[in-house]
Amino acid sequence: MEVFIEKTGERKQISFNGTAKKLLESIGVNYEEVIITRNSEIITLDEEVKESDSIRVLSVVSGG
Amino acid sequence: MKCEKCNAKAVIEMPALCNKHFTSYFEGKAKKTIKEFGLLEKKDRVCVATSGGKDSLTLLYLLKKFGYDAEALAVDEGILGYRDQTLEFLKDFCEKNKIPLRIFSYEEETGKRLDSTVEPGKPACSTCGTLRRHLLNKHSKGYDKIATGHNLDDESQAVLMNLFKAQKKLFSRQGPKTKKMRGFTQKIKPFYFLKEKEIMVYAYLKGLNVSFAECPFARLSYRSQVREALNEYESRNPGTKENIVRKYLSIRPASHQDVRSCTGCGSPCSGDFCKACRIKAGFALES
Ligand code: SF4
Ligand SMILES: [Zn+2]
Ligand SMILES: [Zn+2]
């Protein structure tokens, strides 16, 4: 799956199946600081994400 | 997760709400803050202090949506690779939405850009914030109120920061509305009880598409440490941020210190010269 992490500008190819919550834990990001979109739709932590999804982790912190 | 009001798919947790119900929750909370704390009246001329970031753009969008006569003011600190980008976005947004925008720069005011006065690796936020407040106050004289995008995260962080550093005088800048004082345009914060994250969700749903940009000095700030710690704590103890500001409001000092006028510019301050004038004098000596 492709995961884009806005804050660092990283685009990662990772192999992952599970909930969005697990995904955030695996990349070490606090849910308070981001919103997660799957194929451009906002999803909540309990949603299952799968290999074919395009996930974006968008930062909610405004930069100054 | 399902919306707790209608069973549609939720876009946010705590409270779990769908797009439609989140929109009315968000707008309702901002409206309630405006009403409960008497932030704005329909006849008020209000300017929004905008940075081009999501909080202030969302605020501008919402005040227009609520039918207020809002204009935009922005400050260009002179931070290459950051502010130039967010200002471009802001200009575009204001043009599309036919909102009058005025931009004032540190360079015009002090003769220097921020990135030319602060060495890389040194903290800049204190100087930067002082000059920003000074410029906003100076150029908002023709308005009844100046609205800022400060949100629950900013405000709960500020309470903690002041507590940790025991800076009692800064408490007067906090709260949903600053006191009326001669020489100061009253500041209002309609997002006082809304989380940064909620603003982001709203902005995303409304297609405001503000892209992330980070000031190169932000990471060095004391605030960013407090933010991280508070977010850790909030995720383990939901409701902490709101508790902090509610407690703060309940014990807020009723009176302010005596205010004098700055000999240099006439702005209210506690000594002979305000901090902005002292910074400007320092820049002049260096050059
Ligand atoms: S992060 Fe600090 S230096 Fe950067 S714009 Fe904000 S106050 Fe100024
Ligand atoms: Zn709903
Ligand atoms: Zn002064």
Side-chain angles (χ1 to χ4, degrees), chain A residues 31-33 45-46 60 63, chain B residues 1 13 54 197 215 241:
Chain A
Y31 185 53
E32 276 295 298
E33 300 185 356
L45 285 180
D46 57 319
V60 310
Chain B
M1 185 172 289
E13 316 192 356
K54 69 167 195 324
K197 175 160 180 152
C215 173
K241 292 172 185 173

Side-chain angles (χ1 to χ4, degrees), chain B residues 40-254:
Chain B
L40 274 176
E41 287 166 44
K42 278 273 141 73
K43 63 168 181 38
D44 281 340
R45 272 200 80 209
V46 56
C47 62
V48 177
T50 43
S51 61
K54 69 167 195 324
D55 299 329
S56 52
L57 274 189
T58 307
L59 181 58
L60 202 51
Y61 171 90
L62 203 65
L63 289 181
K64 290 302 264 189
K65 185 169 181 188
F66 288 169
Y68 292 102
D69 173 25
E71 298 185 358
L73 277 192
V75 169
D76 182 359
E77 302 91 344
I79 306 173
L80 194 66
Y82 169 59
R83 188 58 79 218
D84 38 340
Q85 288 170 20
T86 68
L87 286 179
E88 276 315 305
F89 191 82
L90 175 66
K91 283 182 206 160
D92 208 53
F93 178 86
C94 287
E95 209 173 290
K96 279 193 189 120
N97 293 280
K98 301 194 174 56
I99 299 169
L101 163 70
R102 290 186 301 146
I103 301 175
F104 302 96
S105 74
Y106 285 8
E107 197 167 8
E108 279 164 67
E109 180 73 15
T110 70
K112 295 203 176 172
R113 299 167 52 88
L114 185 73
D115 55 16
S116 76
T117 56
V118 183
E119 282 170 51
K122 291 267 160 59
C125 296
S126 169
T127 302
C128 182
T130 301
L131 290 175
R132 182 187 306 120
R133 281 188 297 277
H134 174 75
L135 277 175
L136 288 174
N137 191 52
K138 181 169 166 183
H139 296 288
S140 61
K141 295 276 194 265
Y143 300 88
D144 299 301
K145 311 270 167 66
I146 178 163
T148 67
H150 288 104
N151 55 50
L152 183 58
D153 290 75
D154 299 320
E155 295 289 309
S156 54
Q157 287 156 15
V159 172
L160 290 185
M161 286 163 68
N162 292 345
L163 213 55
F164 293 158
K165 296 200 160 177
Q167 286 176 308
K168 193 170 127 223
K169 66 177 199 291
L170 295 185
F171 275 115
S172 64
R173 252 187 243 142
Q174 289 162 228
K177 173 165 95 175
T178 58
K179 286 241 164 75
K180 266 209 174 102
M181 272 187 282
R182 202 161 45 84
F184 270 130
T185 313
Q186 209 172 11
K187 271 201 190 133
I188 57 163
K189 303 168 189 166
F191 290 161
Y192 190 80
F193 292 106
L194 284 161
K195 279 194 195 182
E196 199 154 42
K197 175 160 180 152
E198 294 172 321
I199 299 172
M200 175 72 176
V201 170
Y202 184 85
Y204 191 86
L205 294 174
K206 297 297 163 207
L208 296 178
N209 292 334
V210 187
S211 65
F212 175 77
E214 190 177 46
C215 173
F217 296 112
R219 260 163 225 235
L220 303 165
S221 69
Y222 181 56
R223 180 181 287 275
S224 69
Q225 296 172 34
V226 173
R227 169 189 292 130
E228 214 177 297
L230 187 54
N231 280 338
E232 259 313 301
Y233 202 74
E234 172 82 22
S235 46
R236 268 181 272 134
N237 306 277
T240 298
K241 292 172 185 173
E242 182 147 348
N243 285 342
I244 291 174
V245 299
R246 297 251 178 226
K247 273 279 179 295
Y248 160 70
L249 288 177
S250 72
I251 58 159
R252 184 145 79 138

Side-chain angles (χ1 to χ4, degrees), chain B residues 3-9 16-22:
Chain B
C3 171
E4 56 185 47
K5 301 227 187 253
C6 76
N7 267 336
K9 214 163 156 212
L17 295 170
C18 67
N19 186 337
K20 181 179 132 209
H21 286 111
F22 173 72

